[in-house]
Amino acid sequence: MNLFELFRKKSTAPVARDRLQVLLAHERSVIGKSDLLATLQEEILAVIARHITIDRDAVQIKLDRGASFSTLEIDVEVPLDATKLVRSPNKAKSGVAAPA
Amino acid sequence: MGKVLVVTSGKGGVGKTTSTAALGAALARGGENVVVIDFDVGLRNLDLVMGAERRVVFDLINVVQGDAKLAQALIRDKRIDTLSLLPASQTRDKDALTVEGVDKVIAELREKFDWVICDSPAGIERGALLAMRNADLAVVVTNPEVSSVRDSDRIIGMLDARTLRAEKGEKIDKHLLVTRYDAGRAARNEMLKVEDVLEILSIPLLGIIPESEEVLKASNIGSPVTLNNPTSAPARAYFDAARRLKGETVDVVIPLERTGLIGRLFGRRVA
């Protein structure tokens, strides 16, 4: 330890503030996202279930957060006998772009 | 109709129980009718901090399960007759609390008191959720320290999503109470400043409670710090916070301890 270090004030609080800001920005997005996705999954499932009988696992939702916009991907697996409107392929896929 | 206030934090040991007792006593001293409820089933401590541990006969779980009437379980404070305590059970399991039972007890207390103050257990599980469920407003107790701030952020998120008000699409008023604050260390950049905590958590400030030996002295005796030494620095900070809860506008100052000559000469540092 040199003389300079001996007299320099240790500023640890700004480090704490910066670490918290980075960490919480990440945690808020992750926790917020999982809540949003769970809600979307439930509501989309409810809407589809009104018209066709599908399995709970048949609706997959993914949210990809981008810099300028996020992509919400809804993947619904419709069984062959569920409706005559959908013949083949038996997988309906839709991508919706939403502003971030 | 009284207001339901939850004192919460996520992290343990930051001063929820101390703050519940101090704010409850400060409000009661101002003439308000106050009940403080301990939600920490299995680890009750509010009775001890309030000095009523030998007067507990029935508790919150007895009332929730219908084994006792509310009036039998409420303990009236011996110093202020507008202050009551509803203790938690020390022997029962926290699963003995039911959502319906808690809702019913809170609704009944709302009729009788101006303020129903719920002392939340630490954590983000069932007990903490039950304590915040009926709240109209929340006091988030935070130490100027990284783990406490992180946990408070989590609890703020839960207040916005998991309370009855949030579920009905209504707002819940959240207030930040910074406890164990050392202005000297903050000035020397050794401790997060109140402004830093406010910027990170972005909820309005209710008060700053300075680190003080008066808090331990008061709990040793079993008296809220606002009753034990009303002119001490933490007590004055709690009285100001209580006035802000009532809607008064009070400037936020960090009360300083009145130290003697020796104290002033050598300064007092908390390790």
Side-chain angles (χ1 to χ4, degrees):
Chain A
M1 184 191 280
N2 61 31
L3 212 60
F4 178 69
E5 278 175 348
L6 195 70
F7 289 105
R8 194 179 57 183
K9 277 189 180 164
K10 275 183 271 170
S11 299
T12 50
V15 181
R17 187 192 58 215
D18 295 346
R19 289 176 61 218
L20 274 170
Q21 273 167 339
V22 172
L23 174 74
L24 292 181
H26 171 73
E27 284 190 345
R28 282 172 193 154
S29 73
V30 170
I31 290 163
K33 196 160 74 180
S34 70
D35 279 1
L36 173 69
L37 284 188
T39 315
L40 280 174
Q41 171 125 13
E42 281 306 311
E43 292 185 4
I44 289 167
L45 201 65
V47 169
I48 295 171
R50 255 188 263 153
H51 304 284
I52 43 179
T53 7
I54 49 160
D55 206 32
R56 281 194 70 84
D57 301 328
V59 177
Q60 299 292 332
I61 297 177
K62 242 168 73 183
L63 185 64
D64 285 317
R65 216 164 270 256
S68 53
F69 64 87
S70 300
T71 313
L72 178 67
E73 193 181 302
I74 305 165
D75 192 341
V76 186
E77 215 172 284
V78 183
L80 263 177
D81 55 346
T83 169
K84 283 175 184 124
L85 289 172
V86 185
R87 278 182 195 146
S88 69
N90 67 342
K91 222 175 176 195
K93 211 170 189 182
S94 63
V96 182
Chain B
M1 275 287 272
K3 282 186 179 168
V4 179
L5 166 78
V6 62
V7 178
T8 188
S9 69
K11 191 177 183 300
V14 296
K16 283 182 296 297
T17 302
T18 301
S19 298
T20 302
L23 286 173
L27 284 166
R29 249 202 162 190
E32 307 273 310
N33 229 329
V34 181
V35 61
V36 288
I37 314 176
D38 194 344
F39 268 87
D40 207 344
V41 176
L43 289 171
R44 76 165 175 227
N45 276 318
L46 187 55
D47 55 332
L48 202 53
V49 171
M50 302 272 297
E53 70 276 11
R54 292 164 60 145
R55 299 173 62 204
V56 177
V57 182
F58 294 110
D59 56 54
L60 176 63
I61 288 185
N62 294 137
V63 180
V64 163
Q65 297 193 331
D67 299 331
K69 290 215 170 69
L70 190 54
Q72 291 176 294
L74 286 174
I75 302 168
R76 182 172 291 185
D77 193 271
K78 288 202 163 154
R79 297 150 295 212
I80 309 177
D81 61 2
T82 54
L83 180 61
S84 296
L85 162 73
L86 182 55
S89 170
Q90 181 69 343
T91 50
R92 301 291 288 275
D93 193 67
K94 63 180 186 307
D95 295 331
L97 282 182
T98 60
V99 170
E100 301 75 29
V102 169
D103 289 357
K104 196 168 158 270
V105 171
I106 300 281
E108 218 175 308
L109 290 170
R110 239 188 228 279
E111 297 292 320
K112 291 193 170 110
F113 294 91
D114 301 320
W115 292 91
V116 179
I117 307 182
C118 306
D119 183 18
S120 173
I124 52 169
E125 276 117 38
R126 196 177 147 80
L129 288 173
L130 282 172
M132 69 168 67
R133 186 177 151 79
N134 287 278
D136 302 310
L137 64 165
V139 169
V140 179
V141 183
T142 307
N143 290 168
E145 176 270 323
V146 286
S147 56
S148 175
V149 175
R150 180 199 212 174
D151 293 358
S152 291
D153 189 74
R154 190 74 193 278
I155 274 293
I156 291 167
M158 297 183 76
L159 286 165
D160 285 331
R162 310 287 292 272
T163 51
L164 277 176
R165 276 196 169 228
E167 282 169 14
K168 282 189 276 183
E170 293 168 7
K171 284 253 169 190
I172 172 161
D173 280 332
K174 300 172 293 288
H175 303 272
L176 181 70
L177 188 68
V178 178
T179 54
R180 308 201 67 167
Y181 192 67
D182 185 328
R185 297 192 74 182
R188 291 193 297 275
N189 267 331
E190 293 170 15
M191 181 184 266
L192 285 169
K193 291 186 172 63
V194 171
E195 303 88 80
D196 295 336
V197 182
L198 277 171
E199 191 196 328
I200 292 166
L201 295 178
S202 56
I203 58 170
L205 182 65
L206 181 73
I208 304 163
I209 313 300
E211 170 80 63
S212 165
E213 49 195 49
E214 287 300 323
V215 173
L216 181 60
K217 279 189 200 163
S219 82
N220 285 342
I221 294 170
S223 173
V225 70
T226 40
L227 297 186
N228 192 53
N229 188 352
T231 57
S232 66
R236 283 181 285 144
Y238 276 120
F239 275 114
D240 283 354
R243 287 171 61 196
R244 288 184 202 107
L245 277 177
K246 288 201 286 181
E248 290 178 40
T249 312
V250 186
D251 287 339
V252 179
V253 285
I254 305 166
L256 296 172
E257 209 78 72
R258 285 172 189 145
T259 50
L261 181 65
I262 304 291
R264 256 179 275 159
L265 280 176
F266 295 100
R268 283 208 286 185
R269 272 201 205 169
V270 182

